[in-house]
Amino acid sequence: MIAIACDHGGYELKQEILKYLDEEQIAYKDFGCDSTEAVDYPIYARKVTAAILDGSCEKGILICGTGIGISIAANKVPGIRAALCTDCFCAEATRQHNDANILALGGRVVGGGLAVKIVDTFLHTEFSGAERHQKRIDLIEG
Ligand code: RB5
């Protein structure tokens, strides 16, 4: 199960991501927001991080205008590794190396076509499980 949320700056891109998830029959929970009316991105980051930490969702997607604010907010939560990606190389590497559990996107940065490929890469790439990467992830958590 994928948790997805956005602020007003990410709303339009989220609609394109939801279309991809529907087409691919990938199950998701949409935590809002539901329009381009201004909202506060930390609230939506918190909804998705909570869904991951309570085990109801395995990965998350967060979208704001740049992807920066919403990833900063998500990364304040212990156990969350949110990766802001603008290309497929980083989406693949952050799953393989960082075992990132949230993908952050900038709705005003990447177009729908690229964003869908980034999401597809993120969702279909496994953590390598390499000892060196696990050690570094453990060091992040302290
Ligand atoms: C909202 O205007 C914008 O600040 C927000 O979407 C995001 O880009 C913040 O980092």
Side-chain angles (χ1 to χ4, degrees), residues 1-3 28-29 31 48 51-60:
M1 181 66 71
I2 305 301
Y28 63 84
K29 289 183 188 171
F31 290 90
V48 165
I52 291 171
L53 294 181
D54 73 16
S56 59
C57 294
E58 64 189 58
K59 292 194 189 92

Side-chain angles (χ1 to χ4, degrees), residues 6-10 38-39 41 63-72 105-109:
C6 66
D7 77 350
H8 53 290
V39 293
Y41 58 79
I63 314 165
C64 68
T66 58
I68 296 172
I70 210 158
S71 58
I72 290 172
L105 294 166
R108 297 170 183 158
V109 180

Side-chain angles (χ1 to χ4, degrees), residues 1 4-5 11 15 40 43 49-50 55 70 83 106-107 110 114 132 141:
M1 181 66 71
I4 185 165
Y11 176 75
Q15 300 313 110
D40 300 318
I43 290 167
T49 60
I70 210 158
V110 289
L114 174 57
R132 69 186 188 284
E141 297 299 334

Side-chain angles (χ1 to χ4, degrees), residues 30-94:
D30 181 0
F31 290 90
C33 67
D34 301 314
S35 76
T36 54
E37 189 177 327
V39 293
D40 300 318
Y41 58 79
I43 290 167
Y44 293 89
R46 195 51 71 99
K47 290 173 192 279
V48 165
T49 60
I52 291 171
L53 294 181
D54 73 16
S56 59
C57 294
E58 64 189 58
K59 292 194 189 92
I61 301 169
L62 287 170
I63 314 165
C64 68
T66 58
I68 296 172
I70 210 158
S71 58
I72 290 172
N75 278 317
K76 286 285 182 185
V77 179
I80 294 300
R81 294 177 299 281
L84 172 56
C85 296
T86 54
D87 59 72
C88 295
F89 177 84
C90 287
E92 182 178 59
T94 198

